[in-house]
DNA sequence: CGGTATCCCACATGATACTG
DNA sequence: CAGTATCATGTGGGATACCG
């Protein structure tokens, strides 16, 4: 897959070290949460308000997973009532470049992909 | 997320045009199938043999989805018994660059991520 | 060879209610 | 405010058997 590992086969193994990253990226809210935190560190409900449709439970799960993977940091604020601020770690911020490239590609090709989908679905009807 | 859309909010919408791409990449076998086809066009069972653990049913599903998104092409060979060859389309091949960048990042950071996971899990015990 | 057809289960996601 | 607890459900993935 990479410029140097195209034919090594490492990417072909289910336990390839890149799996955790691809899995994290594949889930529904992770990338959007990181996009929010890329703008500025934010508190739980602030993130929730930016992500229309996410539930408390699912947002918590997403944040925990990102935290476990070292992408974000959780900081309890000494306020009353207590507040919790989430922010990207240097590791999480460093994901911005490759993820941005992929995002740009996806947006640039979105119409082409959509056309393929419609064409494929239309063929099934006939 | 992208260099130009960091704060536009488009990436924050569930119907962001980049979703199909992130979803496809997130699933278990898609990236590996594309890695195989990046080396050379291959027939169904040839792909299956390279991907230890995948079942016929799931490989078929993966190939259909990639085909629907315009990433790969399916060609029936006029042999006996019939053969089917899958290959990357130009669109699919163009995904190699951004995906390779992400893959390189993931591999380079794998140890760091693993360390964070272990640390996180250890904290839960105590 | 390259598939479908069934059945099944685990897990991601979600709705709702409750709490320190 | 920022969760946890509980219950429900849809879908991805897998095992197995059969087919043109």
């Amino acid at each position: 897959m990479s410029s140097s590992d195209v034919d090594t086969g490492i990417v072909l193994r289910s336990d390839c070290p890149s799996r955790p990253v691809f899995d994290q990226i594949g889930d529904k809210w992770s990338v959007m949460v990181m996009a929010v935190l890329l703008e500025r560190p934010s508190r739980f409900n602030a993130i929730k308000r930016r992500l229309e449709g996410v539930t408390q439970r699912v947002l918590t799960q997403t944040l925990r997973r990102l935290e476990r993977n070292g992408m974000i940091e959780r900081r309890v604020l000494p306020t009353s009532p207590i507040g919790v601020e989430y922010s990207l770690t240097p590791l999480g911020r460093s994901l911005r470049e490759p993820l941005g490239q992929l995002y740009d590609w996806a947006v640039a090709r979105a119409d082409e992909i959509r056309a393929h989908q419609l064409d494929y679905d239309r063929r099934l009807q006939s």
Side-chain angles (χ1 to χ4, degrees), chain A:
Chain A
M1 216 59 242
S2 99
S3 19
S4 53
D5 284 328
V6 173
D7 33 26
T8 63
I10 183 179
V11 72
L12 299 182
R13 302 184 49 85
S14 244
D15 60 342
C16 173
S18 70
R19 282 310 313 178
V21 174
F22 284 103
D23 289 344
Q24 174 93 66
I25 285 173
D27 83 35
K28 192 169 178 180
W29 301 100
S30 286
V31 172
M32 284 187 277
V33 167
M34 302 219 317
V36 169
L37 297 182
L38 199 57
E39 300 175 23
R40 73 186 68 84
S42 308
R43 292 173 55 166
F44 186 88
N45 278 322
I47 300 172
K48 187 170 183 302
R49 275 188 296 273
R50 297 288 314 270
L51 269 37
E52 194 180 1
V54 73
T55 62
Q56 271 188 342
R57 174 182 149 79
V58 171
L59 179 55
T60 298
Q61 287 178 338
T62 304
L63 290 167
R64 291 290 175 276
R65 195 170 177 201
L66 285 167
E67 190 190 0
R68 190 176 107 96
N69 288 343
M71 300 295 127
I72 68 175
E73 194 176 4
R74 180 181 184 273
R75 236 187 78 218
V76 178
L77 305 174
T79 57
S80 176
I82 64 159
V84 179
E85 188 185 74
Y86 292 92
S87 57
L88 286 176
T89 60
L91 177 62
R93 252 190 307 280
S94 76
L95 183 54
R96 181 185 182 280
E97 288 278 328
L99 215 52
Q101 302 258 331
L102 185 60
Y103 177 78
D104 288 342
W105 183 94
V107 172
R109 305 297 193 147
D111 288 347
E112 191 176 350
I113 293 171
R114 189 81 200 110
H116 272 288
Q117 292 174 342
L118 294 174
D119 191 50
Y120 184 93
D121 296 344
R122 188 177 49 71
R123 286 176 204 270
L124 290 186
Q125 303 259 327
S126 58

